[in-house]
């Protein structure tokens, strides 16, 4: 069982309505149940490739306390990535390097590690004073384990009007206070928790993506986008790209420039 094979749960994942209902009943200490008009909507398309972001309207029945009218379930799956790479391949008439069993299995392994690490971080965030590091309210999280290979997800509060920031965009100084609190929090991680984090993220997580074949496909895709206008630059990029994608060097960059 894996994350890259379509299943019979929500949006072809392994996670079912029953899983979510039981989790919410237990965590919210309620006997209320999901109703016949319950709705699940995929709101994550175009915002990441490692999961399905599902907005749940549970249509609560027989409410015995205050319950969230809507909430979000982030479900780990490789189906989002498959759909994206398939679309790019068809639209640009290029090969799809993400169809091999070896590639999918390697990504599957890394996805599960990343999810479990995220759950660990949220566990610590929930113990901080409210407002110290802004984050959504977490109702329940399920890690992957030896006995749970297919259902990894996080159930959290739904917040509308959320603005996302690309990693390359500068942030306002007041966010740095939260960053400082976040880094201070990391000092409380146990040794076992620290071992969940990789010391070589680029090599361990991206090496499977940046093979010689995928680099050639990247250059081919670049040529399609730019047409004949930048052919000479595309030729030069093709010659040096394999040297630029030096993942071990990137992992050691902080040491090279003396940053701890």
């Amino acid at each position: 069982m894996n994350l890259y094979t379509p299943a019979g749960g929500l949006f072809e994942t392994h996670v079912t309505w029953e899983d979510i209902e039981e989790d919410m009943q237990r965590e919210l200490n309620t006997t209320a149940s999901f109703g016949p008009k319950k709705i699940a909507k995929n709101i994550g398309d175009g915002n990441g490739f490692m999961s399905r972001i599902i907005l749940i309207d549970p249509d609560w029945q027989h409410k015995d306390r205050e319950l969230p009218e809507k909430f979000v379930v982030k479900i780990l799956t490789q189906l989002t990535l498959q759909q994206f790479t398939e679309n790019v391949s068809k639209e640009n008439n290029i090969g799809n390097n993400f169809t091999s069993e070896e590639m999918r299995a390697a990504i599957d392994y890394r996805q599960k590690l990343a999810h479990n690490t995220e759950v660990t971080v949220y566990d610590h965030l929930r113990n901080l004073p409210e407002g110290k590091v802004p984050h959504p309210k977490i109702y329940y999280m399920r890690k992957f384990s030896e006995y749970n290979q297919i259902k990894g997800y996080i159930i959290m509060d739904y917040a509308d009007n959320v603005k996302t920031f690309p990693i390359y965009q500068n942030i306002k100084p007041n966010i740095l206070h939260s960053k400082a609190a976040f880094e201070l929090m990391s000092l409380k991680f146990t040794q076992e928790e620290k071992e969940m984090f990789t010391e070589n993220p680029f090599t361990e997580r991206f090496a499977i993506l940046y093979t010689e074949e995928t680099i050639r496909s990247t250059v081919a895709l670049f040529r399609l986008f730019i047409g004949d206008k930048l052919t000479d630059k595309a030729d030069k990029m093709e010659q040096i790209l394999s040297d630029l994608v030096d993942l071990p060097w990137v992992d050691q960059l902080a040491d090279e420039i003396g940053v701890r």
Side-chain angles (χ1 to χ4, degrees):
M1 303 293 282
N2 53 63
L3 302 181
Y4 51 87
T5 301
L10 291 169
F11 293 93
E12 297 186 297
T13 69
H14 297 278
V15 180
T16 66
W17 276 112
E18 290 74 20
D19 291 326
I20 305 304
E21 182 177 36
E22 290 174 5
D23 291 336
M24 291 297 278
Q25 287 175 328
R26 182 185 62 254
E27 298 302 314
L28 298 176
N29 191 26
T30 181
T31 58
S33 58
F34 292 177
K37 295 182 180 180
K38 62 182 181 293
I39 298 173
K41 182 180 180 181
N42 183 1
I43 61 172
D45 281 350
N47 293 298
F49 310 105
M50 295 291 110
S51 61
R52 299 268 202 227
I53 308 297
I54 311 300
L55 176 61
I56 301 291
D57 182 343
D59 183 33
W60 290 110
Q61 303 292 300
H62 313 296
K63 291 198 293 185
D64 51 7
R65 62 189 308 153
E66 190 71 25
L67 300 171
E69 294 299 320
K70 295 180 180 180
F71 54 88
V72 168
V73 185
K74 179 185 178 185
I75 305 174
L76 263 287
T77 179
Q78 208 174 123
L79 301 180
T80 308
L81 178 63
Q82 288 181 24
Q83 181 181 356
F84 171 75
T85 55
E86 182 179 347
N87 290 342
V88 171
S89 177
K90 288 181 178 179
E91 290 174 4
N92 298 283
N93 194 29
I94 59 175
N96 185 352
N97 299 309
F98 293 86
T99 57
S100 72
E101 184 76 14
E102 181 181 7
M103 172 71 81
R104 290 179 174 180
I107 295 175
D108 184 280
Y109 174 73
R110 291 297 171 190
Q111 275 186 286
K112 291 174 180 177
L113 288 180
H115 171 75
N116 286 356
T117 303
E118 181 179 14
V119 170
T120 295
V121 171
Y122 270 125
D123 273 333
H124 281 270
L125 285 174
R126 291 199 289 181
N127 292 326
L128 291 179
E130 186 175 354
K132 200 71 172 179
V133 177
H135 65 279
K137 180 179 180 179
I138 303 297
Y139 294 112
Y140 178 71
M141 299 183 289
R142 187 171 185 180
K143 283 185 174 182
F144 294 104
S145 68
E146 179 183 355
Y147 306 103
N148 173 39
Q149 292 289 321
I150 55 176
K151 296 184 179 184
Y153 54 93
I154 301 174
I155 307 177
M156 63 183 74
D157 197 22
Y158 171 64
D160 55 5
N161 298 322
V162 172
K163 183 177 181 180
T164 59
F165 290 89
I167 194 170
Y168 54 80
Q169 185 171 334
N170 290 334
I171 58 177
K172 295 181 179 180
N174 61 341
I175 298 179
L176 296 179
H177 293 292
S178 295
K179 183 177 183 296
F182 194 93
E183 294 189 1
L184 181 62
M185 177 194 74
S186 70
L187 299 178
K188 298 181 180 180
F189 288 172
T190 66
Q191 185 58 38
E192 182 180 0
E193 290 172 335
K194 290 178 181 178
E195 290 173 357
M196 297 177 66
F197 294 84
T198 174
E199 293 185 358
N200 302 299
F202 290 93
T203 303
E204 294 183 12
R205 296 184 177 175
F206 296 110
I208 57 173
L209 303 178
Y210 290 101
T211 63
E212 290 185 7
E213 185 178 359
T214 57
I215 290 175
R216 286 195 298 270
S217 296
T218 300
V219 174
L221 187 60
F222 179 67
R223 290 182 184 279
L224 284 172
F225 283 143
I226 65 174
D228 297 329
K229 296 180 180 179
L230 300 174
T231 300
D232 58 332
K233 289 183 171 54
D235 292 338
K236 292 180 180 178
M237 185 181 75
E238 188 170 19
Q239 293 174 6
I240 65 173
L241 192 55
S242 59
D243 292 326
L244 290 177
V245 186
D246 186 345
L247 301 180
W249 183 83
V250 176
D251 278 328
Q252 299 173 18
L253 182 59
D255 296 330
E256 292 284 343
I257 62 177
V259 175
R260 294 185 178 181

